[in-house]
Amino acid sequence: MGYEFLIYLFVGIFAGNLAGMFGIGGGVIIVPALIATFLYLGFDQDLITHLAIGTSLASIFFTGLASAYSHNQKRGIVWSAFYPLASGIVIGAILGAVIASLLSGDTLRSIVGVFFLALSVQIISSYELKKTDRKSNILLSTSSGVGIGAISSIVGIGGGSFTVPYLQYFGYKMKLSIGTSAACGVPIALFGSLGYFYIGLNVENLPTMSLGYIYLPAVLGIAATSIFSARMGVAIAHRMSDLALKILFSLFLIINALYMLVV
């Protein structure tokens, strides 16, 4: 257990930094790392992907709180944009967990792998939605929040990959988009993990110390370090260019995507 817990601590450090720097929940690190760890520990392979995603979302809740708090301290959250998005996110996050429960572990893993690969291509190509002078209305924000919450819950991420471009499209500056995205990651993680908790309650062969599809030792280890490293990530985001980080992050995503698709 000591070696296993050490892995979770290191995962939390990297996940927290990414959460602060890019406004994401860190699931792009947490999910593949947990799948590899759970395979090593000999957990039931049919349950590993769902367990990794549910655990990732539960961990992201704490990371997201720390990241959102730090961004708010720097006046980096647009609350008027957050509330309508969050109202849709709550519905979408629960819906995503329900959809995931209908998929096999292999199918779900492939979906996550394809998503990571697509995200890496988007980052490498630097493709961004063109900014517009139009303003998002409540209906559009709420419906967009449903989609963001659902997809994020299915793949176990904090939603920044969608929320940041969405906010930038409507003219918000990058740092405000990242900060608001970090805040949106909190309801995604909270209601997504509650969904995975509920759908996993009556599942057999889950490891000891699991609450549904949430593995508590991993949540505790990742949360213990990610809360503090998220603040470091926020500080980096407000001080340096992210060009080199984008390249490294893209390469990391490609490696993770190939791992998810091959394992």
Side-chain angles (χ1 to χ4, degrees):
M1 175 61 75
Y3 177 73
E4 174 191 348
F5 197 73
L6 188 62
I7 293 175
Y8 302 143
L9 292 175
F10 276 109
V11 171
I13 292 174
F14 290 109
N17 270 288
L18 283 179
M21 284 190 289
F22 296 105
I24 63 176
V28 292
I29 282 183
I30 298 172
V31 173
L34 288 181
I35 288 177
T37 304
F38 293 163
L39 282 171
Y40 173 76
L41 294 173
F43 292 173
D44 189 328
Q45 292 195 25
D46 293 333
L47 307 177
I48 280 177
T49 305
H50 292 81
L51 187 65
I53 292 174
T55 302
S56 172
L57 289 168
S59 305
I60 287 171
F61 173 72
F62 298 100
T63 308
L65 281 177
S67 179
Y69 175 80
S70 296
H71 279 290
N72 190 50
Q73 291 291 95
K74 297 178 180 293
R75 301 182 182 275
I77 298 177
V78 183
W79 292 106
S80 59
F82 166 80
Y83 290 118
L85 275 171
S87 61
I89 281 171
V90 170
I91 299 171
I94 297 173
L95 179 62
V98 173
I99 294 173
S101 70
L102 304 176
L103 303 173
S104 68
D106 289 339
T107 300
L108 190 56
R109 194 176 308 167
S110 296
I111 290 174
V112 175
V114 170
F115 170 78
F116 284 177
L117 194 59
L119 180 58
S120 67
V121 171
Q122 184 272 326
I123 293 174
I124 291 174
S125 66
S126 297
Y127 173 78
E128 296 180 356
L129 292 172
K130 293 183 178 179
K131 293 182 180 181
T132 175
D133 293 331
R134 290 178 293 178
K135 297 296 182 182
S136 177
N137 56 53
I138 293 178
L139 179 61
L140 177 59
S141 290
T142 302
S143 58
S144 298
V146 172
I148 291 171
I151 298 174
S152 301
S153 182
I154 290 172
V155 299
I157 63 172
S161 307
F162 306 107
T163 313
V164 171
Y166 175 85
L167 291 169
Q168 283 198 287
Y169 176 73
F170 288 103
Y172 293 103
K173 294 181 179 179
M174 184 62 177
K175 290 180 181 178
L176 290 176
S177 297
I178 289 175
T180 307
S181 171
C184 288
V186 176
I188 289 174
L190 175 60
F191 290 94
S193 58
L194 286 176
Y196 278 89
F197 161 73
Y198 179 77
I199 65 176
L201 279 178
N202 297 317
V203 173
E204 297 180 354
N205 297 326
L206 284 169
T208 306
M209 294 185 287
S210 294
L211 292 177
Y213 282 123
I214 299 174
Y215 186 52
L216 292 180
V219 173
L220 293 175
I222 293 170
T225 51
S226 64
I227 289 175
F228 300 103
S229 59
R231 296 184 179 183
M232 296 168 55
V234 171
I236 293 173
H238 282 262
R239 289 182 181 179
M240 63 177 292
S241 168
D242 59 5
L243 178 59
L245 293 174
K246 279 187 176 182
I247 296 173
L248 293 174
F249 187 40
S250 298
L251 293 175
F252 174 80
L253 284 172
I254 292 173
I255 294 172
N256 275 342
L258 294 175
Y259 172 77
M260 299 291 283
L261 292 170
V262 171
V263 171

